[in-house]
Amino acid sequence: MPPNDNANLILYEHRNKKLPLAILIHHNFFFSLIYAVLVGVSSFKKWRDFNSTDSLNSSLLLPVYWTWVVVEASRLYSGQKGVLLDKVPELTAFFLLSFFPQSFIVLYMGFLQESILVWDRWMNVIMVAALFMEVGLTLRLLRSMSTNKTDSYS
């Protein structure tokens, strides 16, 4: 039940917008660990064992994977820090890293490779869904935080 006074109501609404994103980032951390292991092992095996007819595809596979690993670690760290400490710059970095490199990398890893295994496609569908939910929830939280900061100055 929401509180009656205005200051507590604003705080209650802010926490309600913050909680789903915090939960999603928390669960995405564990899913990203599983994703990193499974996709990393399959990417290395594809690079080593499969005869690729496209040399560009085989030369992109491992660098794209390692780029995903580095960006994902920094993305989840900035998202967790931004949500827990109500930091707008960290949430903005989380939003931008979620949209620009990660979404394109995950789409490449799941749908544009030359050889796609069964779990590659399903893992990447889940990862794309999580990314787009995080982008939407982050945008909603940033809008709420900027409105609250603007209202506190006036």
Side-chain angles (χ1 to χ4, degrees):
M1 179 130 214
N4 292 332
D5 60 339
N6 194 25
N8 284 337
L9 182 62
I10 291 171
L11 183 62
Y12 178 79
E13 289 175 357
H14 178 68
R15 285 184 184 156
N16 278 345
K17 290 184 180 173
K18 187 171 140 176
L19 186 61
L21 181 61
I23 292 170
L24 188 58
I25 291 172
H26 176 76
H27 289 293
N28 196 8
F29 171 77
F30 293 109
F31 180 71
S32 292
L33 288 176
I34 295 167
Y35 181 89
V37 170
L38 290 178
V39 172
V41 168
S42 69
S43 294
F44 183 72
K45 286 186 72 63
K46 284 186 229 179
W47 177 76
R48 189 184 62 179
D49 296 339
F50 293 162
N51 292 327
S52 177
T53 58
D54 185 12
S55 63
L56 177 64
N57 190 27
S58 64
S59 64
L60 279 179
L61 188 60
L62 290 181
V64 166
Y65 169 74
W66 286 111
T67 303
W68 176 85
V69 168
V70 170
V71 172
E72 184 71 6
S74 61
R75 183 183 80 86
L76 290 175
Y77 174 76
S78 65
Q80 198 69 290
K81 185 177 178 184
V83 167
L84 292 177
L85 300 177
D86 284 338
K87 299 257 187 181
V88 173
E90 281 81 357
L91 280 173
T92 305
F94 175 75
F95 173 75
L96 292 174
L97 288 173
S98 295
F99 180 71
F100 172 61
Q102 291 305 80
S103 60
F104 295 113
I105 288 173
V106 170
L107 288 173
Y108 169 76
M109 296 293 281
F111 304 106
L112 301 176
Q113 292 182 50
E114 186 177 351
S115 56
I116 298 171
L117 303 174
V118 175
W119 63 83
D120 282 341
R121 182 142 309 154
W122 288 109
M123 294 282 288
N124 284 294
V125 164
I126 294 169
M127 186 60 80
V128 166
L131 278 172
F132 286 126
M133 283 190 294
E134 286 173 346
V135 164
L137 289 173
T138 304
L139 192 59
R140 187 180 101 175
L141 181 61
L142 283 171
R143 190 176 300 139
S144 168
M145 288 173 73
S146 64
T147 303
N148 288 344
K149 298 278 186 194
T150 304
D151 290 344
S152 69
Y153 289 128
S154 52

